[in-house]
């Protein structure tokens, strides 16, 4: 059975969890992290789940980060590469219509999310959820919020042209941006109206696979 190391509060692990839920693949989930544990973030004095600094884990993933998978001896890290692998191996029709150009287009949105949306949203998560109150900085939060909504406008414009990020069908390219947008709405911060994102987000929320790991607010707001 496929093994996944990670934590449900990690948006990068979430990408893999949602993809696995779409495919309906059984897997073993091993909680692992150097920064988060059952009680929350280490900056608040909590114990991490651990595992990531053991020699056994480092032999699988020398970065000591999550997620990592082991699929019958095939070990892979880097969340976007894991999503692409799972899509090609287990869900080519479901996750990109078994079409190379749709695959490439969906893949582009994975990289875009990683490069553009992740950095400002990581700052928002730290400022709103993870850091202890005395270390929070409202200026840093506001800068991150502004950067995030400015960049998200690119997705809004895309969704004015197509029903989903990579065309008129759901693909794995919707998953990472869907997670960032879900967090954005859960945070409830001020931002411009984005009617196409709102319409697309409603479609994503209606997917049974979204409900499994991504919908629960505690995976985004606790820590
Ligand atoms: N580029 C890597 C980054 C991995 C990464 O930084 N993961 C974070 C969680 S989102 C992590 O491992 N944080 C420290 C920890 O939980 O120990 C990927 O996409 O997989």
């Amino acid at each position: 059975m496929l093994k996944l190391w990670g934590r449900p509060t990690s948006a990068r692990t979430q990408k893999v969890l949602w993809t696995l839920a779409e495919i309906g693949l059984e897997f073993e989930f091993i909680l692992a992290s150097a920064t988060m544990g059952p009680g929350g973030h280490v900056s608040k004095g909590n114990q991490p789940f651990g595992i990531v600094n053991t020699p056994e884990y480092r032999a699988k993933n020398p970065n000591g980060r999550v997620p990592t998978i082991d699929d019958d001896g095939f070990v892979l890290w880097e969340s976007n590469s894991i999503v692409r692998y799972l899509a090609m191996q287990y869900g080519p029709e479901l996750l990109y219509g078994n079409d190379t150009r749709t695959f490439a287009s969906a893949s582009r949105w994975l990289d875009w999310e990683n490069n553009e949306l992740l950095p400002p949203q990581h700052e928002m998560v730290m400022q709103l959820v993870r850091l202890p109150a005395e270390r929070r900085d409202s200026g840093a939060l506001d800068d991150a919020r502004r950067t995030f909504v400015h960049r998200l406008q690119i997705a809004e414009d895309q969704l004015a042209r197509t029903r989903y990020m990579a065309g008129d069908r759901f693909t794995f390219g919707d998953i990472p941006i869907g997670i960032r947008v879900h967090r954005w709405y859960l945070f409830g911060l001020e931002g411009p109206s984005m009617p196409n994102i709102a319409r697309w987000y409603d479609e994503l929320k209606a997917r049974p696979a979204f409900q499994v790991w991504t919908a629960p607010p505690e995976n985004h707001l606790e820590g």
Side-chain angles (χ1 to χ4, degrees):
M1 190 188 300
L2 184 143
K3 287 184 180 169
L4 165 65
W5 286 263
R7 53 178 167 86
T9 53
S10 141
R12 282 134 162 168
T13 303
Q14 280 276 336
K15 291 179 207 176
V16 179
L17 288 166
W18 183 349
T19 305
L20 286 166
E22 289 286 347
I23 296 165
L25 197 67
E26 263 192 83
F27 63 100
E28 181 187 352
F29 191 18
I30 301 142
L31 293 172
S33 174
T35 59
M36 296 279 292
H41 199 260
V42 289
S43 69
K44 295 186 194 126
N46 295 294
Q47 283 301 310
F49 291 119
I51 297 183
V52 292
N53 288 323
T54 61
E56 295 77 18
Y57 187 84
R58 290 275 171 158
K60 289 187 174 50
N61 182 341
N63 305 288
R65 299 286 180 98
V66 293
T68 301
I69 62 163
D70 182 336
D71 188 15
D72 199 20
F74 176 61
V75 174
L76 193 62
W77 44 267
E78 278 298 337
S79 56
N80 285 352
S81 296
I82 296 172
V83 169
R84 292 180 187 110
Y85 165 72
L86 292 173
M88 291 183 87
Q89 182 77 348
Y90 295 108
E93 192 56 52
L94 175 75
L95 292 170
Y96 59 96
N98 208 3
D99 174 73
T100 305
R101 289 184 177 178
T102 308
F103 180 92
S105 184
S107 188
R108 173 258 310 274
W109 288 113
L110 253 62
D111 293 332
W112 182 79
E113 176 272 336
N114 194 60
N115 295 334
E116 303 294 325
L117 295 185
L118 186 154
Q121 193 168 82
H122 181 260
E123 185 66 39
M124 282 191 267
V125 173
M126 295 307 289
Q127 296 299 337
L128 287 167
V129 178
R130 301 214 173 129
L131 288 175
E134 67 278 8
R135 284 179 53 195
R136 293 187 189 177
D137 173 343
S138 58
L141 173 62
D142 203 47
D143 286 350
R145 181 189 67 81
R146 283 171 199 277
T147 303
F148 183 84
V149 293
H150 179 70
R151 294 179 180 178
L152 192 61
Q153 186 64 44
I154 301 277
E156 168 66 11
D157 294 345
Q158 177 62 42
L159 291 167
R161 295 188 290 271
T162 52
R163 182 169 164 197
Y164 291 97
M165 291 308 303
D168 289 325
R169 54 163 299 144
F170 175 82
T171 68
F172 63 88
D174 293 294
I175 291 176
I177 304 173
I179 293 164
R180 297 293 163 198
V181 165
H182 184 50
R183 284 195 170 181
W184 166 251
Y185 280 106
L186 287 174
F187 292 161
L189 298 174
E190 190 193 328
S193 154
M194 295 199 177
N196 293 294
I197 296 245
R199 184 257 313 145
W200 166 84
Y201 178 51
D202 281 345
E203 293 210 60
L204 297 186
K205 281 190 293 183
R207 297 184 74 78
F210 178 89
Q211 302 305 324
V212 186
W213 295 99
T214 307
E218 62 271 22
N219 288 342
H220 310 282
L221 299 176
E222 285 180 12

